[in-house]
Amino acid sequence: MEIKFFFSAVLLVFLPFLAYHAESVTIFDISKYGAKPGGEDISPVLAKVWKEACEATNASKVLIPKGTWYLSQIRLVGPNKAPLELEVQGTVEANPDYTKLPQKDGQWITINYLDGFTISGGGVFDGKGEQAWKANDCHKNPNCPKLPINLSLNFIKNAIIKDVTTKDSKNFHCNCISSQNVTFQRFTISAPGESINTDGIHIARVSNVKVLDSNIGTGDDCISIGDETTDLHIENVKCGPGHGISVGSMGKNPAEKDVTGITVKKCTFTGTSNGVRVKTWPNAPATLKISNLHFEDLTMNNVSYPVVIDQQYCPWNLCTKDKPSLIQISGLTVKNVRGTANTKEALLFSCSSSKPCQNVQISDIDLKYVNSIPANFTTVCENVKPTVSGKQNPPICPTPVQAS
C-alpha cells in the first residue's frame, strides 16, 4: 500500500507538469491550413504558417505530413520568439526546370535568422536536379546561370538538423553560413557521382558546428569548408561517391579570414577521388592562416588520393602557377589512416614554397594499393618536413623527422 501510495503521489505531482509540456508545443500542420499534396504549390501556405509559428511565444512545430508536396521556392525567415521545429515527414519536391524559379538568383529553400531551431521528421527534400546538371557549364562559362541550393541555412544559432534527406540538388545540397552551434546528425545526402557541383554541405563563417553519424554521396565534395570556420567537428560520416572532405579552395578573395580547429574523425571514404583535402590557389591574394587540422581514424576504400594538401590547386587551368600560394598551413595531424588507394601517390603534401607547411605530424599510416603494390607506391612531399611515428605504409616523405 505504501509503495502504491508513493507512486500515486509522484504521478499527482508530475502529471500537471507533463501535461503542460505536452500542450506547450503548438503544431502548425500545413494540411490543416489548406495545403494539398500531389502538385499544388505549398509555398503560400507554408509561408503563412511559418510567420505564425515565429510569432508564437511557446514552442511550435511546422509539420509537413507524409505524402509528396510540390514547393516552388521559399524563404523562411526569423526571428522566432520560442523554440521552432520544421518536421518534414513527406517528400518535398522542386520544379525540375531551374528556369522556373520565382526568384532567379535565390535558393530553393532558404532559412535565415533563427535561434533554437530544429529540422527533423525523416522526410526528403528532392531538388530534381538532373536537368540542371546537364546544362551546367560553369567550369568554362563565367556567365552561367546561378543554380539553386536545396537547403540554404544562414545566421542560424543553436540548431539541429537531423533525420532528413536532401536529394538531387541542382547545386550544393546544403550550406551553413554565418552560424553558431549547429549540429547535423543522421543527415543523408544523395546524388549521383556524375552530378556537377553538388557539394553535400558547404560550411563557412561558422563556429561550433558538428556533422555526425551522416551518409553523404554526391558529385562533388561531401563536405566543403570555407573561410572563417572555427571549431568544426566531423565524426562518423560515410562519404562516397564524391570528392571527399575538403578545406577550401581558398586564396582568391583577399578578404578571406583564418580557418582553425577542424577535426575529421572516424570517417569512411568509399570510391571517392579524395579522402581529406586542403586546397589553396597559387598566384592569389589571400594571406589567411589554416591551422589546427586533425585527420584521425579514417578508413579509405578504393580512394584515389586519401590525404591531400594541395597549395597549387588550379582546376581547368583557371590560374597560373608562377607565384606560390600565400596561405600558411600549420598544426596538421594525420593519424591512423587505413585502407586502399587506387593511385601510386597515396598521400600528397604539396605545400607552398613561400609558406612551407609547419608542425605537421603523421602517424600510423597503413594504406595498400588496390591491386599488387607497385614499387613506387609512395607519398609526394614538397615544402614540408613532417614528424612521423608508427607505421608508415607507404613511406612518408624522403627525409621526415622521426618522432622522439
Side-chain angles (χ1 to χ4, degrees), residues 41-73:
D41 186 8
I42 67 171
S43 63
V45 172
L46 183 55
K48 179 179 183 297
V49 300
W50 182 266
K51 185 177 180 180
E52 291 185 28
C54 284
E55 289 295 324
T57 55
N58 61 305
S60 58
K61 177 187 293 186
V62 174
L63 174 64
I64 301 178
K66 291 182 179 180
T68 301
W69 308 84
Y70 169 62
L71 174 66
S72 59
Q73 187 179 35

Side-chain angles (χ1 to χ4, degrees), residues 360-363 386-390 392 400-404:
V360 176
Q361 301 181 39
I362 305 172
S363 61
T387 299
V388 303
S389 62
Q392 301 170 39
V401 177
Q402 296 293 330
S404 55

Side-chain angles (χ1 to χ4, degrees), residues 116-378:
F117 175 61
T118 301
I119 301 177
S120 67
V124 179
F125 299 97
D126 187 348
K128 298 288 184 181
E130 185 174 357
Q131 181 178 330
W133 305 333
K134 293 176 180 178
N136 190 330
D137 63 349
C138 294
H139 62 285
K140 60 182 179 181
N141 175 15
N143 299 314
C144 64
K146 183 179 180 181
L147 298 172
I149 294 171
N150 263 12
L151 191 60
S152 180
L153 307 174
N154 310 278
F155 310 103
I156 304 294
K157 295 180 179 179
N158 305 311
I160 182 167
I161 296 87
K162 63 179 182 178
D163 302 315
V164 290
T165 296
T166 168
K167 176 185 176 186
D168 293 346
S169 181
K170 297 175 177 68
N171 198 340
F172 292 5
H173 279 82
C174 178
N175 68 18
C176 182
I177 308 295
S178 299
S179 299
Q180 294 84 42
N181 194 24
V182 179
T183 297
F184 295 86
Q185 188 165 31
R186 297 184 298 277
F187 188 47
T188 300
I189 295 172
S190 175
E194 62 273 16
S195 57
I196 297 175
N197 205 36
T198 54
D199 292 48
I201 308 174
H202 178 67
I203 297 168
R205 298 185 289 282
V206 303
S207 62
N208 297 310
V209 170
K210 296 179 176 66
V211 184
L212 309 173
D213 311 322
S214 297
N215 294 305
I216 303 175
T218 185
D220 211 294
D221 292 332
C222 291
I223 301 173
S224 59
I225 302 160
D227 82 304
E228 204 175 346
T229 297
T230 302
D231 296 329
L232 169 64
H233 188 93
I234 301 167
E235 184 168 350
N236 195 29
V237 169
K238 295 179 180 178
C239 171
H243 296 180
I245 295 176
S246 296
V247 179
S249 61
M250 293 182 191
K252 281 195 164 184
N253 184 347
E256 289 173 344
K257 297 182 180 180
D258 295 352
V259 172
T260 187
I262 310 298
T263 297
V264 181
K265 187 175 183 179
K266 295 181 181 177
C267 294
T268 300
F269 302 81
T270 301
T272 54
S273 55
N274 305 282
V276 285
R277 177 169 59 155
V278 181
K279 46 185 179 176
T280 73
W281 292 80
N283 199 13
T287 59
L288 69 149
K289 297 177 181 178
I290 302 174
S291 62
N292 295 323
L293 310 177
H294 305 284
F295 304 147
E296 302 177 358
D297 305 326
L298 307 179
T299 300
M300 307 290 168
N301 298 319
N302 194 25
V303 172
S304 297
Y305 297 97
V307 180
V308 177
I309 307 298
D310 185 4
Q311 294 204 257
Q312 300 185 61
Y313 179 74
C314 187
W316 303 299
N317 294 317
L318 294 176
C319 67
T320 61
K321 298 183 180 181
D322 56 323
K323 295 180 181 178
S325 172
L326 301 177
I327 295 174
Q328 176 72 69
I329 297 174
S330 64
L332 168 64
T333 300
V334 182
K335 181 180 180 180
N336 192 25
V337 180
R338 301 174 184 276
T340 56
N342 60 38
T343 60
K344 296 178 181 179
E345 298 171 348
L347 290 86
L348 174 64
F349 298 95
S350 179
C351 298
S352 170
S353 59
S354 69
K355 300 280 187 179
C357 294
Q358 297 179 352
N359 190 20
V360 176
Q361 301 181 39
I362 305 172
S363 61
D364 299 317
I365 307 299
D366 189 10
L367 293 167
K368 297 177 175 62
Y369 195 63
V370 287
N371 299 310
S372 59
I373 298 177
N376 57 347
F377 186 54
T378 186

